[in-house]
């Protein structure tokens, strides 16, 4: 089973203060609605010729496995509509290779590595940032930290991955018939 995890780069003042240029970050296609709510989109594809198992590409970025930038409080939608995504469900982790390298993934019950001892752990209420998995516009989980998509919850840890991921390993024609797959993420 193949699942590639992305490293999240959170755009904060700390990045600028360390003197790193943010110009190499891909920020997706972003819009802000009349209410001031910002949403960004990444159109996900897999370049099956870039490696033995393929590398992710995004229409909004240059090259394979680009570094994506994400702002705290913004909703990001990762559209896995393209057929090249077959066998490649998108996963998110705090460090490269996620589950493949036994490092923490983004889940409602896993505290971010930046959490300090002085902070109340979000894991206690299953409120840590986590992706939300959708199929044909229908949310597959019960957890939510994003009121723009689904009412915010507490104590729910099903973010839809267990319903989303297995479908990517069904026969290709069956997977294609399932329709559109999308992952939403809001890092708060």
């Amino acid at each position: 089973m193949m699942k590639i995890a992305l490293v999240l780069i959170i755009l904060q003042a700390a990045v600028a203060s360390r003197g790193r240029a943010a110009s190499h970050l891909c920020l997706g296609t972003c819009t802000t609605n009349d209410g001031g709510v910002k949403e960004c989109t990444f159109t996900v594809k897999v370049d099956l010729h870039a490696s033995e198992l393929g590398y992710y590409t995004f229409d909004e970025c240059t090259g394979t496995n680009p570094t994506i930038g994400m702002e705290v409080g913004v909703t990001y939608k990762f559209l896995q509509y393209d057929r090249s995504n077959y066998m490649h469900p998108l996963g998110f982790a705090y460090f490269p290779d996620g589950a493949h390298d036994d490092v923490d993934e983004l889940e409602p019950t896993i505290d971010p590595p930046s959490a300090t001892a002085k902070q109340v752990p979000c894991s206690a209420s299953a409120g840590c940032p986590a992706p939300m998995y959708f199929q044909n516009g229908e949310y597959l989980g019960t957890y939510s930290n994003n009121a723009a998509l689904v009412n915010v919850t507490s104590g729910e840890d099903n973010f839809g991955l267990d319903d989303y991921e297995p479908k990517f390993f069904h026969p290709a024609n069956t997977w294609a018939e399932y329709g559109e797959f999308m992952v939403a993420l809001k890092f708060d």
Side-chain angles (χ1 to χ4, degrees), residues 115-132:
T116 67
K118 294 179 182 178
Q119 295 174 312
V120 175
C122 56
S123 58
S125 64
C128 299
M132 297 170 64

Side-chain angles (χ1 to χ4, degrees), residues 28-141:
T29 300
C30 302
T31 59
T32 303
N33 68 19
D34 292 338
V37 177
K38 187 174 180 179
E39 180 178 286
C40 300
T41 302
F42 288 97
T43 306
V44 183
K45 294 181 180 172
V46 178
D47 181 344
L48 299 171
H49 304 287
S51 74
E52 181 181 353
L53 299 173
Y55 284 136
Y56 284 113
T57 66
F58 303 99
D59 284 353
E60 300 77 9
C61 308
T62 303
T64 57
N65 285 348
T67 301
I68 60 173
M70 301 182 80
E71 294 179 62
V72 172
V74 174
T75 298
Y76 290 86
K77 292 184 176 179
F78 295 85
L79 311 178
Q80 288 201 276
Y81 301 170
D82 190 79
R83 290 182 68 108
S84 66
N85 285 286
Y86 174 64
M87 299 289 289
H88 295 84
L90 194 58
F92 294 86
Y94 291 108
F95 300 99
D97 295 327
H100 300 295
D101 205 18
D102 199 28
V103 297
D104 286 342
E105 295 183 78
L106 276 72
E107 295 187 15
T109 57
I110 297 178
D111 289 309
S114 62
T116 67
K118 294 179 182 178
Q119 295 174 312
V120 175
C122 56
S123 58
S125 64
C128 299
M132 297 170 64
Y133 291 87
F134 291 79
Q135 180 184 349
N136 293 320
E138 181 181 333
Y139 182 42
L140 301 175

